[in-house]
Amino acid sequence: MSMAKTQPAIARDCAHCASRLVGLCSPLTPDVLSEVAEQATHLHYAAREAVFLQGDPARHAFTLIEGAVRLSRLLPDGRRAAIGFRLAGDLVGFTPAQEYPFSAEAMGPVTICRIERRRLDALFERHPVMKQSLLDLFTRELAATQDHVMALGRFTAEERVAGFLVSLAEAQRRRGWHGKVLDLMATRGDIADLLGLTLETVSRVFSAFKRRGLIALHGPQSVEFLDSVMLQELAVGEGCAD
Amino acid sequence: MSMAKTQPAIARDCAHCASRLVGLCSPLTPDVLSEVAEQATHLHYAAREAVFLQGDPARHAFTLIEGAVRLSRLLPDGRRAAIGFRLAGDLVGFTPAQEYPFSAEAMGPVTICRIERRRLDALFERHPVMKQSLLDLFTRELAATQDHVMALGRFTAEERVAGFLVSLAEAQRRRGWHGKVLDLMATRGDIADLLGLTLETVSRVFSAFKRRGLIALHGPQSVEFLDSVMLQELAVGEGCAD
DNA sequence: CGACCTGTTGAAATATATCAAACATGGTGG
DNA sequence: CCACCATGTTTGATATATTTCAACAGGTCG
């Protein structure tokens, strides 16, 4: 099952990967990029497998090539809260801290590009321009997490699910996706952990949205947007709720 | 009532203030510090007054000299969620974004040190060391916000209130406070907005803690810790709940 | 085929919200 | 000094959103 780590094949096309370091490397020249590429490794993970665990020494940073991962924290009694989902192109697990502050688990089959943190730090030393990019990244991440706080603190279950759908669609759109049919890449349980709900509630909300003609389901993971306007309104807390 | 903004007296002792830029300036030399001090202004705000509002152009950054402010977002229908509280010494409203992503309101009488963002940016240009400090600051802030997500998503009302008390005590301890009696500096409503609860629920939880001998109240804003161990356990989600 | 996982749906339980009243407190002005 | 008001707090009764517990359905995979 966990043969993933046994195949750290050096990637040939990792320049592609490196350039995707969420724009971190965009100020860099091609030769620097290929230098980065040589230091990186491609890995594969199966669904539910952990990329790293909360508390592990943060020796690597990752960029997702394909698939999606869930960043989450676990309580001693089993309660789980997801901090967020990360999709292809996202930087994962890069922290100035000594240990990862949360776990990262593959939500489906995942291909990921791994680089040693030491090397990344060195890269930052030599190319201070990147620090600005990193600061911007952290700023966006902070803003997103604050949105999340708003949602968990004051939104109803329906508003949270609508918000999840809308922002996932937005994230995919930034990745070139278009159309009306969205692949969730997450189980009801994953979504529940993200939204601070139970999986049953999430399922009920999907059913309610379907009944009201806001969405259609083609299989539980495949959502078609029928009334994006209404969903958007719900998502920002202006929904009429009826 | 709002004569605050009419008294932007240049502060003489603002080097003290500048040095408190949450360690941002710790790598700087004294002469640079006094240079910063000359560019900063002291302001006073009355309770409930806004230091800045969500959406305002982010033209200034602030450091709290005295008092406490609430960072919050407001929904069109009046629901409010607080992102966090900031205490003396904290940096507030410094964002790379164009607009403030949330509002900042004084929770009581507040003295604050204001500096133009332009000047702060220039300072960062000239002293790149500070970027590292800023990155560390953002990292801590991100981690704190993620804790908040965990709390709002999976903690019960009692766990959230216990967590609030413990982390406020911790914050005050870092500021040199010691002892057992804590000044909340926040109304029940403020705390409710922070924890995603109603003010009535917060009040009931305080009463329950009092009944169980975990705390004593000397006036509604003054909390005495009687059983810190139990509170701590509740705060991290290991509480036995009885 | 049976075991298993994910999802759906129902009925009951419960934590928290909502609505409402009474109680303190501090300031203000007569 | 007292009456008065605004603001915050406590507490009670009730309502409700969401959870919990439970049963079942549809895939998939060995």
Side-chain angles (χ1 to χ4, degrees), chain A residues 114-130:
Chain A
R114 186 179 82 183
I115 185 171
E116 281 183 46
R117 184 193 154 167
R118 287 205 332 269
R119 298 186 191 275
L120 205 50
D121 285 344
L123 198 65
F124 273 83
E125 270 331 299
R126 267 177 298 139
H127 307 278
V129 230
M130 289 176 65

Side-chain angles (χ1 to χ4, degrees), chain A residues 11-20 30 33-34 36-38 42:
Chain A
R12 285 131 291 110
D13 67 339
C14 205
H16 155 256
C17 151
S19 69
R20 289 193 132 207
L33 276 180
S34 63
V36 177
E38 279 166 27
H42 272 195

Side-chain angles (χ1 to χ4, degrees), chain B residues 9-227:
Chain B
I10 298 291
R12 286 130 291 110
D13 68 340
C14 204
H16 155 257
C17 149
S19 70
R20 288 192 132 208
L21 277 167
V22 196
L24 276 187
C25 305
S26 36
L28 299 182
T29 55
D31 50 314
V32 176
L33 274 180
S34 64
E35 179 197 336
V36 178
E38 279 167 26
Q39 302 174 341
T41 321
H42 272 197
L43 297 173
H44 295 277
Y45 292 89
R48 310 277 114 192
E49 222 178 335
V51 178
F52 55 80
L53 292 176
Q54 177 174 2
D56 283 355
R59 277 195 280 266
H60 299 96
F62 306 81
T63 47
L64 258 174
I65 309 296
E66 209 173 351
V69 303
R70 168 187 79 186
L71 311 181
S72 67
R73 295 185 175 191
L74 197 60
L75 253 51
D77 65 353
R79 283 178 286 180
R80 165 178 284 128
I83 305 300
F85 295 163
R86 293 294 178 271
L87 308 180
D90 284 340
L91 182 61
V92 174
F94 185 54
T95 164
Q98 282 302 311
E99 302 179 348
Y100 297 112
F102 42 70
S103 305
E105 291 135 329
M107 298 201 293
V110 153
T111 308
I112 213 165
C113 176
R114 185 179 82 182
I115 185 170
E116 283 183 46
R117 185 196 153 161
R118 288 206 330 269
R119 298 186 190 278
L120 206 49
D121 285 344
L123 198 65
F124 273 82
E125 272 328 301
R126 266 175 300 136
H127 306 277
V129 231
M130 288 177 67
K131 288 201 177 177
Q132 186 57 48
S133 311
L134 189 62
L135 206 52
D136 291 347
L137 174 66
F138 273 49
T139 304
R140 279 196 305 277
E141 203 148 309
L142 191 55
T145 311
Q146 288 170 351
D147 284 346
H148 201 184
V149 165
M150 178 90 217
L152 294 180
R154 291 299 182 216
F155 279 7
T156 65
E158 297 205 341
E159 287 167 336
R160 295 182 211 188
V161 173
F164 168 71
L165 290 176
V166 167
S167 66
L168 182 60
E170 175 54 29
Q172 294 293 35
R173 209 168 285 121
R174 278 196 301 271
R175 285 168 176 78
W177 168 86
H178 65 284
K180 298 236 164 255
V181 180
L182 185 67
D183 181 14
L184 295 182
M185 295 179 300
T187 67
R188 300 289 182 265
D190 289 330
I191 300 170
D193 287 337
L194 183 71
L195 302 181
L197 302 168
T198 60
L199 66 90
E200 293 95 331
T201 300
V202 173
S203 176
R204 279 185 242 271
V205 171
F206 273 101
S207 300
F209 283 177
K210 200 169 62 175
R211 225 177 307 118
R212 281 191 262 159
L214 303 186
I215 61 171
L217 290 174
H218 313 319
Q221 307 267 86
S222 177
V223 177
E224 180 180 0
F225 283 66
L226 297 180
D227 188 344

